[in-house]
């Protein structure tokens, strides 16, 4: 696959996932929230499970899951049961456009959890993005100028984003293993867990057309989206793919206006502007990160018939352009031990 096709695949994956919120809003008229979550994940799990049977090139290159991965797999599945149910409850209670944008709070939640629990570094650029996304989320959750209450629907969507933030960090710990195995387990087991909760809540089984539509939505918004995401990731890398994927909430908000004829309020438009700025900073942090680390250079020269070598260690900042674990950089050294204009690329 060419880089252009890979970028188009990443954007198409974002578009497919963006369909989730507005279409789910429509289907929730006939399907219970837990039942809806179950059908979405079951649709994805069945789809990816079938696709994995035909992905011969992945066999032998991806390591299978082991017993040591069980705690992270269990955490991933449990969180993927809770998150979509909370999301469906939030979508049913609030507006689809707000729910779409609030999905970006997952970026902030993932980063903060990675910092607090896994002690990952968070750059100033990402802290700024987290602040803007959090501010936008607060504006989207505010019921109006005459009230200091936050809408229940928005809070449920934010809780779903926090659950997915924890889930992202669990999945991160097993990300080197087979993607198709992870997604299939996630879909089938999380979907089955949500189905059990739906039946325990007394939610009725949907009609065949409604169930078929929900499974099809799961196939597109979760299964096919993940499939295209993985294809793009293999060419342009995980970091750049995730940056393109950040377009999903904005596409979802646009579809909400078109499909559900929701009208944006002035407060929503203000939150949209803040969210765009936050998402742009997060994408920039994903694509380009600045680092300072030491470099050691050994210079060899001949003097009086003898060869001498000396080593100079120095540190300087440079930008890393991330491409799925590999990166390249170029910098120029101003002066080293009397060697003017020394440099390397």
């Amino acid at each position: 696959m060419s880089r252009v096709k890979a970028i188009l695949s990443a954007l198409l994956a974002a578009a497919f996932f963006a369909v989730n919120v507005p279409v789910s809003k429509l289907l929730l008229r006939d399907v219970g929230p837990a039942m809806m979550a179950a059908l979405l994940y079951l649709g994805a799990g069945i789809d990816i499970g079938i696709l994995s049977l035909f992905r011969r090139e992945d066999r032998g290159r991806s390591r299978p899951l082991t017993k040591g991965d069980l705690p992270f797999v269990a955490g991933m599945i449990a969180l993927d049961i809770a998150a979509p149910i909370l999301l469906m409850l939030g979508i049913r209670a609030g507006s689809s456009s707000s729910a779409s944008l609030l999905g970006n709070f997952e970026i902030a939640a993932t980063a903060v959890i990675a910092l607090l629990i896994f002690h990952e570094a968070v750059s100033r650029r990402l802290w700024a993005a987290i602040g803007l996304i959090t501010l936008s989320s607060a504006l989207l959750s505010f019921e109006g100028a005459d009230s200091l209450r936050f809408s229940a629907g928005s809070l449920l969507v934010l809780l779903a984003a926090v659950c997915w933030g924890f889930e992202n960090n669990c999945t991160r710990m097993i990300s080197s293993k087979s993607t198709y195995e992870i997604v299939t387990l996630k879909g089938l087991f999380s979907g089955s867990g949500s189905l059990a909760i739906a039946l325990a809540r007394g939610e009725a089984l949907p009609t065949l057309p409604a169930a078929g539509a929900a499974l099809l939505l799961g196939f597109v918004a979760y299964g096919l989206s993940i499939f295209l995401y993985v294809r793009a990731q293999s060419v342009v890398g995980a970091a750049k793919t995730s940056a393109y994927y950040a377009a999903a909430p904005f596409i979802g908000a646009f579809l909400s206006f078109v499909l559900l004829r929701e009208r944006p309020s002035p407060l929503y438009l203000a939150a949209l502007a803040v969210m765009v700025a936050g998402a742009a900073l997060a994408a920039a942090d994903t694509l380009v990160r600045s680092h300072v680390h030491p470099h050691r250079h050994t210079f060899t020269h001949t003097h009086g018939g003898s060869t001498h070598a000396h080593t100079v260690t120095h540190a300087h900042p440079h930008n890393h352009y991330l491409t799925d674990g590999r990166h390249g950089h170029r910098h120029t050294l101003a002066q080293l031990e009397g060697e003017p204009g020394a440099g390397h690329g």
Side-chain angles (χ1 to χ4, degrees), residues 48-326:
I48 295 298
I50 293 174
L51 287 176
S52 67
L53 299 176
F54 301 95
R55 298 287 290 178
R56 293 181 181 178
E57 62 268 30
D58 286 343
R59 296 175 184 175
R61 294 198 313 174
S62 299
R63 293 180 295 159
L65 294 167
T66 63
K67 290 183 179 179
D69 300 319
L70 185 59
F72 301 110
V73 173
M76 176 187 72
I77 291 172
L79 291 162
D80 275 328
I81 292 173
I85 293 176
L86 290 168
L87 177 62
M88 293 302 121
L89 290 169
I91 292 173
R92 189 172 67 172
S95 73
S96 171
S97 54
S98 291
S100 293
L101 287 189
L102 284 169
N104 261 338
F105 189 74
E106 183 181 334
I107 297 173
T110 301
V112 172
I113 291 166
L115 170 69
L116 297 178
I117 297 180
F118 297 97
H119 307 293
E120 289 190 4
V122 176
S123 68
R124 292 181 181 179
R125 188 186 292 111
L126 187 54
W127 273 122
I130 290 171
L132 290 172
I133 290 171
T134 302
L135 174 60
S136 177
S137 299
L139 292 174
L140 289 167
S141 303
F142 194 54
E143 285 194 329
D146 299 329
S147 172
L148 292 178
R149 294 180 303 169
F150 287 85
S151 68
S154 294
L155 291 178
L156 288 168
V157 176
L158 289 176
L159 284 174
V162 171
C163 286
W164 267 313
F166 277 104
E167 189 270 347
N168 288 338
N169 281 281
C170 285
T171 304
R172 165 189 167 278
M173 301 304 294
I174 55 175
S175 60
S176 63
K177 303 302 177 68
S178 170
T179 303
Y180 288 92
E181 187 176 348
I182 291 170
V183 177
T184 300
L185 289 174
K186 178 186 297 194
L188 295 180
F189 283 92
S190 297
S192 298
S194 297
L195 180 61
I197 292 174
L199 296 175
R201 280 168 46 91
E203 293 184 12
L205 291 173
T207 63
L208 190 59
L215 287 170
L216 179 61
L217 178 60
F219 163 74
V220 173
Y222 288 84
L224 192 55
S225 177
I226 292 171
F227 175 73
L228 289 170
Y229 185 97
V230 171
R231 289 194 67 188
Q233 183 176 290
S234 66
V235 177
V236 300
K240 289 186 178 181
T241 304
S242 65
Y244 294 123
Y245 203 75
F250 302 104
I251 299 173
F254 173 77
L255 291 175
S256 298
F257 299 141
V258 174
L259 298 177
L260 304 176
R261 301 186 183 280
E262 295 180 353
R263 293 185 178 181
S265 66
L267 189 63
Y268 174 89
L269 294 176
L272 174 62
V274 176
M275 186 67 80
V276 168
L281 279 175
D285 184 76
T286 300
L287 293 173
V288 182
R289 297 179 186 175
S290 294
H291 298 279
V292 177
H293 60 214
H295 288 263
R296 179 168 294 176
H297 304 266
T298 300
F299 296 88
T300 302
H301 61 91
T302 302
H303 180 70
S306 301
T307 300
H308 305 274
H310 61 273
T311 301
V312 176
T313 300
H314 69 101
H316 57 265
H318 59 273
N319 287 330
H320 286 245
Y321 299 88
L322 302 182
T323 54
D324 201 19
R326 298 178 296 276

